[in-house]
Amino acid sequence: MSSTAINHTLEHSGHAHDEHAHHQSFLTKYIFSTDHKMIAKQFLITGIIMAVIGMFLSILFRIQLGWPDQSFPLLETFLGKWAEGGRIKPDFYLSLVTIHGTIMVFFVLTAGLSGTFSNLLIPLQLGARDMASPLVNMLSYWFFFTACVIMMGSFFTETGPASAGWTIYPPLSALPKAISGSGIGMTLWLISMVFFIASSLMGALNYISTILNMRTKGMDLWKMPLTIWALFLTAILGTLSFPVLVAGVVLLIFDRSFGTSFYLSDLVVQGQILPQQGGSPILFQHLFWFLGHPEVYIVIMPALGITSEVIATNSRKPIFGYHAMVYSLIGITVLSFIVWGHHMFVTGMSPFLGGVFMITTLIIAVPSAVKTFNYLATLWRGNIRFTPAMLFAIGLVSFFISGGLTGIFLGNAALDINLHDTYFVVAHFHLVMGSAAICGMLSGVYHWFPKMFGRMMDEKLGYLHFWFTFIGAYLVFFPMHFMGLDGVPRRYYAFTEFEFMKEWLTVNTFISWAAIISALGQVAFLWNFFHSIFYGKRATQNPWQSNTLEWTTPVEHLHGNWPGEIPTVYRWPYDYSKPGSPVDFIPQTIPFSETMSSNFSHDFEGNPEAERIQLEWQKNDEAERLAEDKV
């Protein structure tokens, strides 16, 4: 079925749905909605709630690291037996680290970021009435929500939540009696992740189908905004890599519950030799990191796509090197599947294989560098508007550069063996993946908030939020590089047992204060976001004077997006400040026949009829100018 036919069918169904919109109940409009825009809001608000929980957990373990010998009675009030005497217990500390990492990587930066903006932007920027399958889209959100509930439910079990680290390496995750967090909490973690992966796969297949089959007339692949390219390739990554983690999780459940030995061998627990033999925990690492490294790009690529759109719009310049940006995204997508071994240099892999993974890891830095260069070239001499969205986009570029440079250290096997499992690794991935992706997500929220809610967020609170976040992230994570270089290991409960680590106690206190202040700065965003939904200034149809299709839809939402026919696309999305044009932006829906004075030969992409008309117009225009000069 062609994209035109599908859109034609959906056009009529969209009208029918809109005519009967007033018959929708609260449940069908706001809870079990099949409208992609409402589902995007559900993903975003759930992601924000999970981010707050994840941030709160990080503050709890930062209190332990910053003041390891002090008692805080308030902790016992809130946490009960997990903080008897006002100090967090070591096993619960590991649970906090585990669930914090899981929430932030999967529930916030994967589902919250990709789920929100894929749902919001794919139909709107491509000119579709809705997703290819609205029902599957709705199920995708509810599977994600179920995963969140199960994960948080593990806090209310007798033995506490999972505590094997967010990477859940065996044997801690494979032996239910290994530690308290290996019991029912670990089982709930595994069940939660199966629901989450089912959600991700349903979403990804929907996104791919919509992009390939439901573009409006004129919207070929080379007219798609870079946001859509990034979301498209992210969906492909998820489709190919998430099933591998499902396989790893199923084998882990077999080891936990059915006496198999996929990951277990030669173990002694409390003086008792366990019967398992023949397995290898290294197998799990291979399966986990085959997802785990594409997951890094599943997290960062949507943020990079959002940044491309925001920087071009607010620089009032065409994005520099559009085709290079697309090819670099494709290069990242392909290469991300052959670099997972750099997480495993210390597992005893052969030096030859380690060398192969080291080379592919260093090669993947090239397309990342291309993207960084193109961002900087777009910003260079642009007529920059420093909106909160633009500040967060520039913040992403900063974190992507500073965090990416440390990735070159860790990609080198000789250096990584010394730095592995130290705070250097924590600093690296929190900057390049955590902070950069969060900046991209926040940039998207500020930029598309008017499209989601029909209102504007407060700019001054946005500026306050940016500076708290940007400065706070560097103050928290930059000092960790030096701790890692000194050999300070990650995930340790306290650094008071080792003489060489005691000198870092004051730095840990500083980091903890920076984290607390940075977390308080997020209150400005939470107030701004939820207050603006109801009381913000009403938005105009195209507040940022942007070129992409989503800004041609009415401010008031309707299920079907456009009240009449879907607009036709004639040009790429980055015609900003074009020489010869009287205005500094030309939307994609403006035909070339209306912009004769600013057309270039490469605009027509080899369309001979359009080129002929343009050449005739140029000859006539030149003749008229000569006649005027003679007069």
Side-chain angles (χ1 to χ4, degrees), residues 47 104 131 137 149 158 219 233 253 257 388 458 532 556:
M104 298 308 289
M131 284 290 179
N137 206 24
V149 171
E158 182 67 23
M219 177 67 80
L233 294 166
I253 291 171
S257 305
D458 184 274
S532 297
E556 298 298 327

Side-chain angles (χ1 to χ4, degrees), residues 299 389 465:
V299 163
H465 176 220

Side-chain angles (χ1 to χ4, degrees), residues 126 150-151 182 206 215 437 453 474 491 520 571:
L126 292 183
I150 293 171
M151 186 67 71
S182 298
N206 222 349
R215 303 188 302 277
F453 298 102
Y474 270 121
R491 293 183 186 159
L520 290 174
R571 58 181 73 232

Side-chain angles (χ1 to χ4, degrees), residues 245-468:
L245 183 61
V246 173
V249 164
V250 168
L251 298 183
L252 192 57
I253 291 171
F254 270 65
D255 275 11
R256 289 174 58 80
S257 305
F258 301 112
T260 58
S261 296
F262 292 107
Y263 307 130
L264 299 173
S265 180
D266 304 330
L267 290 166
V268 179
V269 176
Q270 296 177 347
Q272 180 184 355
I273 300 174
L274 300 186
Q276 286 95 346
Q277 58 183 340
S280 170
I282 304 301
L283 170 62
F284 180 83
Q285 291 193 34
H286 279 291
L287 293 172
F288 181 88
W289 287 115
F290 189 84
L291 157 85
H293 204 81
E295 170 65 17
V296 171
Y297 295 102
I298 289 170
V299 163
I300 197 66
M301 283 214 302
L304 295 173
I306 288 166
T307 299
S308 299
E309 180 69 24
V310 172
I311 284 180
T313 302
N314 290 291
S315 295
R316 313 311 291 166
K317 279 179 65 181
I319 194 76
F320 185 89
Y322 172 86
H323 288 82
M325 294 285 255
V326 172
Y327 290 130
S328 67
L329 284 170
I330 294 170
I332 288 170
T333 302
V334 174
L335 288 167
S336 67
F337 283 105
I338 52 174
V339 296
W340 81 88
H342 69 227
H343 295 275
M344 300 171 58
F345 285 144
V346 297
T347 60
M349 70 166 61
S350 78
F352 174 77
L353 193 59
V356 171
F357 281 121
M358 184 176 77
I359 290 167
T360 56
T361 300
L362 296 177
I363 289 172
I364 205 171
V366 175
S368 301
V370 168
K371 294 198 72 64
T372 302
F373 173 78
N374 288 16
Y375 290 140
L376 296 175
T378 305
L379 288 164
W380 178 252
R381 303 188 72 177
N383 185 18
I384 298 175
R385 302 184 306 199
F386 287 106
T387 64
M390 184 62 159
L391 288 175
F392 276 105
I394 295 170
L396 177 143
V397 177
S398 172
F399 288 127
F400 198 59
I401 293 171
S402 55
L405 288 173
T406 56
I408 296 172
F409 287 69
L410 295 172
N412 187 311
L415 291 172
D416 180 74
I417 287 168
N418 292 285
L419 296 172
H420 190 80
D421 264 348
T422 69
Y423 265 90
F424 193 93
V425 177
V426 178
H428 160 70
F429 77 75
H430 274 87
L431 283 180
V432 77
M433 191 176 86
S435 301
I438 287 287
C439 275
M441 183 177 181
L442 292 169
S443 176
V445 170
Y446 280 103
H447 188 73
W448 280 289
F449 187 90
K451 181 49 55 187
M452 280 192 275
F453 298 102
R455 295 181 182 270
M456 305 293 288
M457 292 180 76
D458 184 274
E459 272 203 345
K460 290 180 180 176
L461 281 175
Y463 296 143
L464 181 70
H465 176 220
F466 169 74
W467 289 113
F468 264 97

